């Protein structure tokens, strides 16, 4: 007899406003439905630049956001900005995670780390990247993945500066962007911006490109469930949610 775990209680720290509605949507899509607590963190500038992203992902910003999750009953917490973690490097990411775990006493991770784990979970060795960021930021994502022996066979950058603009991209534009950058020699396509909506059309996206697609909000939600031990196979959220991690 299969055992269905009780509903997960998940915390998300999200910088600003763009595609944060993906998280409650995914919470309603999984069975049993997850309880999503989302806190908007602040920053000085909405810009995909190294300086702005480093400030956005600073320990002081994360700590202020985490304070609002205290006593919320969450079982895991995610810092849901891919770029405002990988631009800080592995040491910076580790500091982000340690800070959140110490403040909230629950397991924590970041979207960048979620990508690394998700790629391994679907046994992808080579990937293509369709990044909305400017090229210098996108290149740092490639460098981050290299630490985990993930080979990037193609990298495209759309050059969009603000998260607000990325959040306005709709289904057809996202699928068109994905189709332009899917590569047969890759095992999966990575779309790494949490400002980009994707939850509502993950299956359509994968059907269009003919291979697994890993998007930032998707892998963040997957990682949140994995961290609290309540990840189970789910329909409608892409092939990633059909795979169960070994750890």
């Amino acid at each position: 007899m299969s055992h269905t775990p009780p509903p997960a209680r998940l915390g998300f720290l999200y910088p600003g406003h763009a595609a944060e509605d993906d998280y409650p949507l995914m919470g309603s899509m999984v069975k049993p439905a997850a309880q999503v607590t989302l806190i908007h963190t602040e920053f000085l500038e909405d810009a995909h630049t190294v300086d702005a992203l480093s400030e956005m992902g600073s320990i002081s910003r994360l700590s202020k956001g985490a304070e609002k999750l205290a006593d919320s009953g969450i079982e895991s917490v995610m810092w849901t900005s891919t770029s405002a973690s990988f631009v800080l490097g592995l040491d910076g990411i580790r500091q982000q995670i340690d800070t959140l775990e110490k403040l909230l006493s629950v397991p924590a991770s970041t979207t960048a780390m979620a990508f690394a784990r998700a790629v391994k979970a679907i046994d992808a060795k080579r990937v293509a990247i369709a990044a909305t960021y400017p090229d210098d930021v996108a290149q740092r994502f490639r460098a981050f993945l290299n630490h985990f022996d993930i080979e990037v066979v193609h990298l495209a950058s759309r050059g969009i500066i603000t998260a607000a603009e990325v959040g306005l991209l709709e289904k057809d534009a996202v699928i068109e962007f994905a189709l332009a950058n899917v590569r047969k020699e890759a095992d999966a396509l990575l779309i790494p911006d949490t400002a980009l909506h994707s939850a509502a059309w993950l299956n359509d996206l994968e059907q269009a490109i003919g291979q697994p697609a890993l998007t930032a909000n998707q892998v963040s939600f997957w990682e949140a469930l994995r961290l609290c031990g309540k990840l189970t196979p789910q329909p409608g959220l892409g092939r990633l949610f059909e795979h169960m991690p070994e750890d």
Side-chain angles (χ1 to χ4, degrees):
M1 180 181 296
S2 62
H3 172 68
T4 301
R9 302 187 305 276
L10 311 175
F12 299 95
L13 296 175
Y14 189 95
H17 298 265
E20 69 274 16
D21 50 336
D22 268 7
Y23 292 97
L25 175 59
M26 288 184 284
S28 69
M29 292 170 71
V30 297
K31 305 298 179 188
Q35 176 183 319
V36 170
T37 303
L38 187 142
I39 299 298
H40 295 278
T41 61
E42 298 178 352
F43 47 81
L44 291 178
E45 182 183 9
D46 176 13
H48 286 132
T49 67
V50 172
D51 287 347
L53 292 167
S54 298
E55 193 278 333
M56 184 183 294
S58 65
I59 296 305
S60 62
R61 293 297 189 192
L62 266 62
S63 297
K64 288 178 183 177
E67 290 172 2
K68 298 177 183 178
L69 284 171
D71 302 319
S72 62
I74 59 170
E75 299 170 289
S76 65
V77 61
M78 292 292 301
W79 166 232
T80 55
S81 174
T82 324
S83 54
S85 52
F86 69 69
V87 297
L88 300 173
L90 290 179
D91 288 343
I93 291 171
R94 186 69 252 170
Q95 190 177 9
Q96 289 176 333
I97 293 171
D98 287 347
T99 297
L100 293 176
E101 289 185 340
K102 289 174 181 176
L103 287 173
L104 295 170
S105 300
V106 296
S109 188
T110 76
T111 303
M113 287 302 301
F115 266 111
R117 292 194 176 106
V119 169
K120 299 294 186 183
I122 63 171
D123 197 29
K125 302 295 191 296
R126 300 186 295 176
V127 303
I129 298 172
T132 50
Y133 319 125
D135 184 67
D136 63 329
V137 174
Q139 292 293 346
R140 290 197 177 211
F141 187 49
R142 180 207 292 268
F144 167 77
L145 294 175
N146 285 342
H147 287 293
F148 302 90
D149 297 321
I150 298 167
E151 181 183 353
V152 177
V153 299
H154 171 74
L155 171 64
S157 53
R158 191 157 176 151
I160 300 177
I161 294 296
T162 70
E165 183 180 349
V166 173
L168 297 177
L169 295 175
E170 297 184 352
K171 177 181 177 179
D172 289 348
V174 174
I175 291 180
E176 181 182 356
F177 185 47
L179 281 169
N181 293 292
V182 67
R183 293 295 182 270
K184 291 182 179 179
E185 65 269 26
D187 301 314
L189 176 67
L190 277 53
I191 308 176
D193 194 346
T194 57
L196 187 73
H197 285 96
S198 64
W201 47 74
L202 284 164
N203 284 359
D204 291 341
L205 178 60
E206 288 192 333
Q207 184 174 5
I209 68 173
Q211 63 181 224
L214 299 179
T215 75
N217 292 332
Q218 173 206 33
V219 303
S220 298
F221 198 85
W222 173 88
E223 176 83 326
L225 288 170
R226 188 193 70 81
L227 286 174
C228 65
K230 293 183 177 178
L231 179 62
T232 58
Q234 301 285 341
L237 288 170
R239 286 186 232 178
L240 173 62
F241 276 80
E242 298 170 5
H243 292 74
M244 295 303 298
E246 295 180 359
D247 54 32

